[in-house]
mmCIF file of all heavy atoms in Angstrom:
data_model
loop_
_atom_site.group_PDB
_atom_site.id
_atom_site.type_symbol
_atom_site.label_atom_id
_atom_site.label_comp_id
_atom_site.label_asym_id
_atom_site.label_seq_id
_atom_site.Cartn_x
_atom_site.Cartn_y
_atom_site.Cartn_z
ATOM 1 N N CYS H 1 10.355 -8.804 -5.840
ATOM 2 C CA CYS H 1 10.220 -10.251 -5.689
ATOM 3 C C CYS H 1 11.111 -10.931 -6.722
ATOM 4 O O CYS H 1 10.952 -10.697 -7.921
ATOM 5 C CB CYS H 1 8.779 -10.694 -5.911
ATOM 6 S SG CYS H 1 7.618 -10.087 -4.710
ATOM 7 N N ASN H 2 12.020 -11.759 -6.276
ATOM 8 C CA ASN H 2 12.871 -12.538 -7.184
ATOM 9 C C ASN H 2 13.469 -11.701 -8.306
ATOM 10 O O ASN H 2 13.299 -11.993 -9.479
ATOM 11 C CB ASN H 2 12.087 -13.712 -7.776
ATOM 12 C CG ASN H 2 11.562 -14.629 -6.701
ATOM 13 O OD1 ASN H 2 12.171 -14.781 -5.651
ATOM 14 N ND2 ASN H 2 10.425 -15.248 -6.940
ATOM 15 N N ASN H 3 14.169 -10.640 -7.956
ATOM 16 C CA ASN H 3 14.828 -9.756 -8.929
ATOM 17 C C ASN H 3 13.865 -9.069 -9.877
ATOM 18 O O ASN H 3 14.230 -8.686 -10.981
ATOM 19 C CB ASN H 3 15.891 -10.517 -9.722
ATOM 20 C CG ASN H 3 16.988 -11.037 -8.821
ATOM 21 O OD1 ASN H 3 17.413 -10.342 -7.901
ATOM 22 N ND2 ASN H 3 17.442 -12.248 -9.063
ATOM 23 N N CYS H 4 12.610 -8.936 -9.493
ATOM 24 C CA CYS H 4 11.601 -8.243 -10.289
ATOM 25 C C CYS H 4 10.984 -7.149 -9.426
ATOM 26 O O CYS H 4 10.648 -7.385 -8.270
ATOM 27 C CB CYS H 4 10.515 -9.230 -10.738
ATOM 28 S SG CYS H 4 9.153 -8.450 -11.594
ATOM 29 N N TYR H 5 10.858 -5.951 -9.978
ATOM 30 C CA TYR H 5 10.218 -4.847 -9.272
ATOM 31 C C TYR H 5 8.756 -4.795 -9.670
ATOM 32 O O TYR H 5 8.433 -4.800 -10.851
ATOM 33 C CB TYR H 5 10.904 -3.522 -9.617
ATOM 34 C CG TYR H 5 12.342 -3.501 -9.177
ATOM 35 C CD1 TYR H 5 13.361 -3.760 -10.082
ATOM 36 C CD2 TYR H 5 12.677 -3.245 -7.847
ATOM 37 C CE1 TYR H 5 14.685 -3.755 -9.672
ATOM 38 C CE2 TYR H 5 13.996 -3.247 -7.443
ATOM 39 C CZ TYR H 5 14.998 -3.501 -8.357
ATOM 40 O OH TYR H 5 16.293 -3.503 -7.951
ATOM 41 N N ILE H 6 7.878 -4.756 -8.677
ATOM 42 C CA ILE H 6 6.441 -4.765 -8.935
ATOM 43 C C ILE H 6 5.832 -3.505 -8.329
ATOM 44 O O ILE H 6 6.052 -3.205 -7.157
ATOM 45 C CB ILE H 6 5.777 -6.024 -8.341
ATOM 46 C CG1 ILE H 6 6.399 -7.277 -8.972
ATOM 47 C CG2 ILE H 6 4.271 -5.991 -8.556
ATOM 48 C CD1 ILE H 6 6.001 -8.568 -8.307
ATOM 49 N N ILE H 7 5.079 -2.777 -9.144
ATOM 50 C CA ILE H 7 4.403 -1.555 -8.712
ATOM 51 C C ILE H 7 2.915 -1.750 -8.967
ATOM 52 O O ILE H 7 2.512 -2.038 -10.092
ATOM 53 C CB ILE H 7 4.921 -0.331 -9.492
ATOM 54 C CG1 ILE H 7 6.428 -0.166 -9.264
ATOM 55 C CG2 ILE H 7 4.149 0.916 -9.078
ATOM 56 C CD1 ILE H 7 7.091 0.807 -10.210
ATOM 57 N N ILE H 8 2.105 -1.599 -7.928
ATOM 58 C CA ILE H 8 0.657 -1.706 -8.061
ATOM 59 C C ILE H 8 0.079 -0.333 -7.713
ATOM 60 O O ILE H 8 0.236 0.149 -6.588
ATOM 61 C CB ILE H 8 0.067 -2.793 -7.137
ATOM 62 C CG1 ILE H 8 0.757 -4.136 -7.378
ATOM 63 C CG2 ILE H 8 -1.444 -2.914 -7.367
ATOM 64 C CD1 ILE H 8 0.336 -5.231 -6.414
ATOM 65 N N GLU H 9 -0.557 0.291 -8.687
ATOM 66 C CA GLU H 9 -1.106 1.629 -8.504
ATOM 67 C C GLU H 9 -2.558 1.578 -8.043
ATOM 68 O O GLU H 9 -3.242 0.581 -8.247
ATOM 69 C CB GLU H 9 -1.017 2.405 -9.815
ATOM 70 C CG GLU H 9 0.411 2.579 -10.306
ATOM 71 C CD GLU H 9 0.494 3.240 -11.660
ATOM 72 O OE1 GLU H 9 -0.425 3.048 -12.493
ATOM 73 O OE2 GLU H 9 1.492 3.953 -11.897
ATOM 74 N N ASN H 10 -3.019 2.664 -7.440
ATOM 75 C CA ASN H 10 -4.421 2.836 -7.020
ATOM 76 C C ASN H 10 -4.888 1.797 -6.012
ATOM 77 O O ASN H 10 -6.013 1.305 -6.085
ATOM 78 C CB ASN H 10 -5.345 2.859 -8.239
ATOM 79 C CG ASN H 10 -4.984 3.973 -9.184
ATOM 80 O OD1 ASN H 10 -4.782 5.107 -8.757
ATOM 81 N ND2 ASN H 10 -4.870 3.661 -10.461
ATOM 82 N N VAL H 11 -4.033 1.456 -5.065
ATOM 83 C CA VAL H 11 -4.376 0.487 -4.018
ATOM 84 C C VAL H 11 -5.164 1.208 -2.925
ATOM 85 O O VAL H 11 -4.699 2.218 -2.387
ATOM 86 C CB VAL H 11 -3.094 -0.138 -3.419
ATOM 87 C CG1 VAL H 11 -3.437 -1.078 -2.273
ATOM 88 C CG2 VAL H 11 -2.293 -0.854 -4.493
ATOM 89 N N PRO H 12 -6.347 0.725 -2.569
ATOM 90 C CA PRO H 12 -7.125 1.358 -1.497
ATOM 91 C C PRO H 12 -6.389 1.244 -0.161
ATOM 92 O O PRO H 12 -5.810 0.204 0.147
ATOM 93 C CB PRO H 12 -8.424 0.544 -1.449
ATOM 94 C CG PRO H 12 -8.438 -0.311 -2.650
ATOM 95 C CD PRO H 12 -7.047 -0.423 -3.153
ATOM 96 N N CYS H 13 -6.398 2.328 0.603
ATOM 97 C CA CYS H 13 -5.735 2.327 1.905
ATOM 98 C C CYS H 13 -6.446 3.301 2.832
ATOM 99 O O CYS H 13 -7.329 4.044 2.414
ATOM 100 C CB CYS H 13 -4.265 2.712 1.770
ATOM 101 S SG CYS H 13 -3.985 4.450 1.364
ATOM 102 N N LEU H 14 -6.045 3.286 4.081
ATOM 103 C CA LEU H 14 -6.456 4.286 5.055
ATOM 104 C C LEU H 14 -5.229 5.147 5.312
ATOM 105 O O LEU H 14 -4.142 4.619 5.589
ATOM 106 C CB LEU H 14 -6.927 3.637 6.347
ATOM 107 C CG LEU H 14 -8.177 2.775 6.230
ATOM 108 C CD1 LEU H 14 -8.431 2.044 7.554
ATOM 109 C CD2 LEU H 14 -9.369 3.632 5.866
ATOM 110 N N LYS H 15 -5.375 6.470 5.198
ATOM 111 C CA LYS H 15 -4.237 7.371 5.351
ATOM 112 C C LYS H 15 -4.532 8.392 6.447
ATOM 113 O O LYS H 15 -5.607 8.989 6.490
ATOM 114 C CB LYS H 15 -3.945 8.086 4.040
ATOM 115 C CG LYS H 15 -2.695 8.924 4.073
ATOM 116 C CD LYS H 15 -2.336 9.442 2.692
ATOM 117 C CE LYS H 15 -1.032 10.201 2.729
ATOM 118 N NZ LYS H 15 -0.614 10.613 1.389
ATOM 119 N N CYS H 16 -3.552 8.597 7.307
ATOM 120 C CA CYS H 16 -3.675 9.542 8.406
ATOM 121 C C CYS H 16 -3.527 10.966 7.891
ATOM 122 O O CYS H 16 -2.572 11.280 7.172
ATOM 123 C CB CYS H 16 -2.610 9.256 9.466
ATOM 124 S SG CYS H 16 -2.622 10.433 10.831
ATOM 125 N N ASP H 17 -4.459 11.844 8.298
ATOM 126 C CA ASP H 17 -4.381 13.240 7.865
ATOM 127 C C ASP H 17 -3.351 14.036 8.670
ATOM 128 O O ASP H 17 -3.007 15.155 8.310
ATOM 129 C CB ASP H 17 -5.750 13.913 7.931
ATOM 130 C CG ASP H 17 -6.360 13.955 9.324
ATOM 131 O OD1 ASP H 17 -5.682 13.578 10.307
ATOM 132 O OD2 ASP H 17 -7.530 14.351 9.429
ATOM 133 N N GLN H 18 -2.817 13.450 9.734
ATOM 134 C CA GLN H 18 -1.820 14.127 10.566
ATOM 135 C C GLN H 18 -0.391 13.747 10.168
ATOM 136 O O GLN H 18 0.408 14.598 9.848
ATOM 137 C CB GLN H 18 -2.057 13.787 12.041
ATOM 138 C CG GLN H 18 -1.100 14.433 13.010
ATOM 139 C CD GLN H 18 -1.354 15.924 13.165
ATOM 140 O OE1 GLN H 18 -2.470 16.381 12.994
ATOM 141 N NE2 GLN H 18 -0.316 16.664 13.481
ATOM 142 N N CYS H 19 -0.087 12.445 10.181
ATOM 143 C CA CYS H 19 1.290 11.998 9.940
ATOM 144 C C CYS H 19 1.504 11.392 8.554
ATOM 145 O O CYS H 19 2.636 11.159 8.155
ATOM 146 C CB CYS H 19 1.729 11.010 11.017
ATOM 147 S SG CYS H 19 0.915 9.398 10.952
ATOM 148 N N GLY H 20 0.413 11.085 7.846
ATOM 149 C CA GLY H 20 0.542 10.531 6.500
ATOM 150 C C GLY H 20 0.747 9.029 6.444
ATOM 151 O O GLY H 20 0.905 8.456 5.371
ATOM 152 N N GLU H 21 0.760 8.369 7.602
ATOM 153 C CA GLU H 21 0.930 6.919 7.640
ATOM 154 C C GLU H 21 -0.206 6.242 6.876
ATOM 155 O O GLU H 21 -1.363 6.656 6.964
ATOM 156 C CB GLU H 21 0.960 6.431 9.082
ATOM 157 C CG GLU H 21 1.297 4.974 9.245
ATOM 158 C CD GLU H 21 2.751 4.664 8.919
ATOM 159 O OE1 GLU H 21 3.623 5.523 9.114
ATOM 160 O OE2 GLU H 21 3.007 3.533 8.467
ATOM 161 N N GLU H 22 0.130 5.191 6.124
ATOM 162 C CA GLU H 22 -0.867 4.461 5.328
ATOM 163 C C GLU H 22 -1.000 3.044 5.865
ATOM 164 O O GLU H 22 -0.003 2.410 6.213
ATOM 165 C CB GLU H 22 -0.443 4.418 3.862
ATOM 166 C CG GLU H 22 -0.375 5.789 3.230
ATOM 167 C CD GLU H 22 0.188 5.775 1.822
ATOM 168 O OE1 GLU H 22 0.857 4.792 1.440
ATOM 169 O OE2 GLU H 22 -0.027 6.762 1.117
ATOM 170 N N PHE H 23 -2.232 2.564 5.917
ATOM 171 C CA PHE H 23 -2.519 1.211 6.369
ATOM 172 C C PHE H 23 -3.384 0.507 5.337
ATOM 173 O O PHE H 23 -4.311 1.102 4.792
ATOM 174 C CB PHE H 23 -3.264 1.228 7.714
ATOM 175 C CG PHE H 23 -2.463 1.813 8.833
ATOM 176 C CD1 PHE H 23 -2.565 3.157 9.146
ATOM 177 C CD2 PHE H 23 -1.604 1.017 9.580
ATOM 178 C CE1 PHE H 23 -1.826 3.707 10.178
ATOM 179 C CE2 PHE H 23 -0.859 1.565 10.614
ATOM 180 C CZ PHE H 23 -0.976 2.914 10.915
ATOM 181 N N LEU H 24 -3.091 -0.773 5.091
ATOM 182 C CA LEU H 24 -3.901 -1.599 4.203
ATOM 183 C C LEU H 24 -4.810 -2.467 5.053
ATOM 184 O O LEU H 24 -4.385 -2.995 6.088
ATOM 185 C CB LEU H 24 -3.010 -2.487 3.334
ATOM 186 C CG LEU H 24 -1.996 -1.781 2.443
ATOM 187 C CD1 LEU H 24 -1.170 -2.810 1.686
ATOM 188 C CD2 LEU H 24 -2.672 -0.832 1.483
ATOM 189 N N THR H 25 -6.055 -2.633 4.609
ATOM 190 C CA THR H 25 -6.946 -3.548 5.310
ATOM 191 C C THR H 25 -6.509 -4.979 5.019
ATOM 192 O O THR H 25 -5.762 -5.235 4.068
ATOM 193 C CB THR H 25 -8.407 -3.356 4.860
ATOM 194 O OG1 THR H 25 -8.506 -3.672 3.477
ATOM 195 C CG2 THR H 25 -8.891 -1.933 5.123
ATOM 196 N N ALA H 26 -6.979 -5.910 5.831
ATOM 197 C CA ALA H 26 -6.606 -7.311 5.648
ATOM 198 C C ALA H 26 -7.066 -7.830 4.289
ATOM 199 O O ALA H 26 -6.336 -8.577 3.629
ATOM 200 C CB ALA H 26 -7.195 -8.163 6.768
ATOM 201 N N SER H 27 -8.251 -7.418 3.842
ATOM 202 C CA SER H 27 -8.747 -7.915 2.550
ATOM 203 C C SER H 27 -7.904 -7.387 1.395
ATOM 204 O O SER H 27 -7.622 -8.118 0.446
ATOM 205 C CB SER H 27 -10.222 -7.548 2.353
ATOM 206 O OG SER H 27 -10.382 -6.147 2.322
ATOM 207 N N VAL H 28 -7.470 -6.121 1.468
ATOM 208 C CA VAL H 28 -6.610 -5.565 0.422
ATOM 209 C C VAL H 28 -5.254 -6.269 0.439
ATOM 210 O O VAL H 28 -4.717 -6.630 -0.610
ATOM 211 C CB VAL H 28 -6.447 -4.041 0.589
ATOM 212 C CG1 VAL H 28 -5.368 -3.493 -0.321
ATOM 213 C CG2 VAL H 28 -7.772 -3.333 0.314
ATOM 214 N N ALA H 29 -4.699 -6.499 1.625
ATOM 215 C CA ALA H 29 -3.412 -7.198 1.736
ATOM 216 C C ALA H 29 -3.508 -8.611 1.171
ATOM 217 O O ALA H 29 -2.583 -9.069 0.480
ATOM 218 C CB ALA H 29 -2.958 -7.231 3.191
ATOM 219 N N ASP H 30 -4.620 -9.305 1.417
ATOM 220 C CA ASP H 30 -4.818 -10.648 0.866
ATOM 221 C C ASP H 30 -4.878 -10.611 -0.660
ATOM 222 O O ASP H 30 -4.300 -11.469 -1.331
ATOM 223 C CB ASP H 30 -6.099 -11.281 1.408
ATOM 224 C CG ASP H 30 -5.973 -11.698 2.861
ATOM 225 O OD1 ASP H 30 -4.818 -11.805 3.357
ATOM 226 O OD2 ASP H 30 -7.018 -11.918 3.510
#
């Protein structure tokens, strides 16, 4: 964002055990 790199660790997500795709819930995204 605006020439700044932002890393947020330990974000809750849903992860697929087959393909590894990660999804954030709407509340986490907000």
